[in-house]
């Protein structure tokens, strides 16, 4: 059955495959066939065929040691309880997006200098629905409440990165975005009413940066600033993340924030310069006449 709101060009099989990949959430690194079927709303035979297809393509692997490599047709009772997990190849899907935009190449040297000066981790995120998604990161090894990697999702309103991105939207659009359910699987430590959200985003718009103090999880404190393109549009946000027990708010806003704003400005300037650079297509040389087909 086609999904509501889809047109004649919608490929249902592709959508189901992506649903299966997205079913593997934080805290669920390995899932059984039954769990995948339940999470996606697919029948078990359909979920099984998708898992085995993804397995052949290298995006999923079976964690049952009894399964023989290459045996994609065998069906037995033990297969019902067999579990599957994503492989690192899935990262290629997200990195294709990041690398296609060249944002990482532009931002990396600036982020590394920021981390050298603050001795704290720094990340870049973009908005996806009511969540932020991490697209670049330079990390300092520290014990924190929530692990962060490229592709990690968090509820936007409870993060400094998310507040910056939400504040860049018109107020009505920000509320519409926040009405969407989070797909992060992370329950925020602090919830906001619509009035509180509006007031906090107005504050971010007025001062140009955002602070989060243990709103997502205990111990997480960060400050973020916008990254802009050559037209002044906010394309992403950059933060400095600290442990609340180690770094007082006064240090975060008094010492790290000026460095963060300077870094965000430098990345934005470089990004604008990259956008303005002419794109030249080098023509392919013609085949030698002697090799031309008659």
């Amino acid at each position: 059955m086609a999904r509501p709101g889809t047109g004649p060009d919608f490929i249902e099989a592709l959508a189901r495959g992506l649903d299966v990949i997205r079913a593997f959430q934080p805290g669920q690194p390995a899932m059984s066939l039954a769990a995948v079927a339940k999470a996606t709303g697919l029948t078990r035979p359909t979920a099984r065929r998708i898992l085995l297809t993804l397995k052949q393509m290298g995006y999923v692997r079976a964690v049952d040691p009894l399964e023989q490599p290459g045996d994609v047709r065998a069906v037995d009772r033990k297969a019902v309880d067999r579990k599957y997990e994503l492989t690192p190849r899935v990262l290629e899907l997200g990195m294709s997006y990041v690398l296609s935009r060249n944002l990482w190449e532009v931002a990396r040297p600036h982020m590394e200098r920021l981390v050298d000066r603050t001795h704290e981790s720094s990340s870049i995120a973009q908005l996806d629905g009511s969540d932020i998604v991490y697209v670049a990161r330079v990390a300092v090894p520290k014990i924190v409440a929530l692990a962060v990697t490229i592709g990690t999702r968090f509820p936007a309103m409870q993060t400094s990165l998310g507040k910056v991105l939400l504040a860049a939207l018109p107020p009505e659009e920000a509320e519409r975005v926040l009405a969407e359910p989070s797909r992060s699987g992370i329950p925020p430590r602090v919830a906001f009413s619509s009035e509180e959200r509006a007031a906090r985003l107005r504050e971010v718009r007025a001062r140009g940066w955002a602070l989060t103090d243990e709103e997502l999880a205990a111990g997480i404190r960060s400050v973020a600033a916008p990254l802009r393109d050559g037209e002044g549009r906010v394309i992403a946000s950059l933060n400095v993340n600290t442990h609340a027990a180690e770094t007082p708010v006064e240090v975060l806003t008094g010492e790290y924030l000026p460095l963060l704003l300077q870094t965000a400005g430098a990345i934005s300037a470089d990004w604008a310069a990259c956008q303005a650079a002419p794109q030249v297509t080098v023509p392919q040389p013609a085949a030698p006449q002697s090799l031309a087909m008659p």
Side-chain angles (χ1 to χ4, degrees):
M1 180 182 295
R3 304 182 189 215
T6 59
D9 296 325
F10 187 82
I11 303 176
E12 184 67 31
L14 175 59
R16 290 174 176 175
L18 294 174
D19 286 342
V20 168
I21 291 176
R22 288 195 295 264
F24 292 84
Q25 297 291 321
Q28 288 184 302
M31 298 179 68
S32 65
L33 170 60
V36 170
K38 181 178 179 181
T40 58
L42 300 173
T43 64
R44 290 193 183 190
T46 298
R48 175 183 171 276
R49 288 196 299 272
I50 293 173
L51 282 169
L52 294 180
T53 299
L54 291 171
K55 179 174 176 289
Q56 282 192 303
M57 296 181 68
Y59 293 110
V60 166
R61 62 184 167 219
V63 295
D64 187 330
L66 296 178
E67 184 172 53
Q68 298 299 316
D71 183 10
V72 298
R73 294 175 298 175
V75 180
D76 54 43
R77 294 183 180 276
K78 293 181 180 179
V80 175
D81 297 322
R82 180 170 297 141
K83 291 191 175 183
Y84 297 86
E85 64 183 8
L86 299 179
T87 72
R89 188 173 186 182
V90 172
L91 294 174
E92 294 177 359
L93 302 175
M95 289 308 296
S96 296
Y97 167 76
V98 174
L99 295 176
S100 69
R101 296 177 63 93
N102 294 323
L103 184 56
W104 170 238
E105 293 180 14
V106 171
R108 178 173 58 182
H110 298 288
M111 295 175 70
E112 289 174 346
R113 284 192 290 271
L114 177 62
V115 170
D116 286 341
R117 298 175 72 180
T118 62
H119 305 291
E120 302 288 355
S121 298
S122 178
S123 302
I124 292 177
Q126 293 180 312
L127 198 63
D128 183 21
S130 62
D131 296 333
I132 59 165
V133 179
Y134 284 77
V135 299
R137 181 168 171 81
V138 177
V140 173
K142 288 192 177 184
I143 298 176
V144 294
L146 297 173
V148 175
T149 59
I150 303 301
T152 293
R153 308 177 70 94
F154 289 140
M157 191 62 207
Q158 283 74 21
T159 67
S160 61
L161 291 163
K163 288 189 180 76
V164 165
L165 298 170
L166 291 166
L169 301 176
E172 299 79 9
E173 185 177 353
E175 278 300 307
R176 180 187 60 77
V177 167
L178 287 169
E180 300 179 23
S182 170
R183 293 189 283 119
S184 67
I186 306 295
R189 187 168 181 255
V190 176
F192 300 105
S193 66
S194 58
E195 293 79 11
E196 290 172 329
R197 289 197 298 264
R200 287 174 180 261
L201 294 181
R202 281 196 302 269
E203 183 180 19
V204 174
R205 293 186 188 103
R207 66 188 183 185
W209 53 272
L211 171 73
T212 290
D213 190 7
E214 300 188 275
E215 295 167 17
L216 180 65
I220 296 179
R221 178 177 289 160
S222 68
V223 65
L227 299 179
R228 301 179 184 274
D229 64 11
E231 302 297 324
R233 294 183 293 259
V234 175
I235 58 169
S237 53
L238 173 75
N239 82 343
V240 172
N241 187 79
T242 67
H243 197 293
E246 298 177 355
T247 307
V249 172
E250 293 76 16
V251 172
L252 186 59
T253 57
E255 298 181 19
Y256 298 165
L257 176 59
L259 299 174
L260 172 69
L261 294 173
Q262 180 183 18
T263 302
I267 294 173
S268 298
D270 282 0
W271 180 250
C274 286
Q275 285 184 306
Q279 302 296 317
V280 178
T281 300
V282 179
Q284 295 295 319
Q289 190 65 34
S290 61
L291 298 179
M293 297 295 292

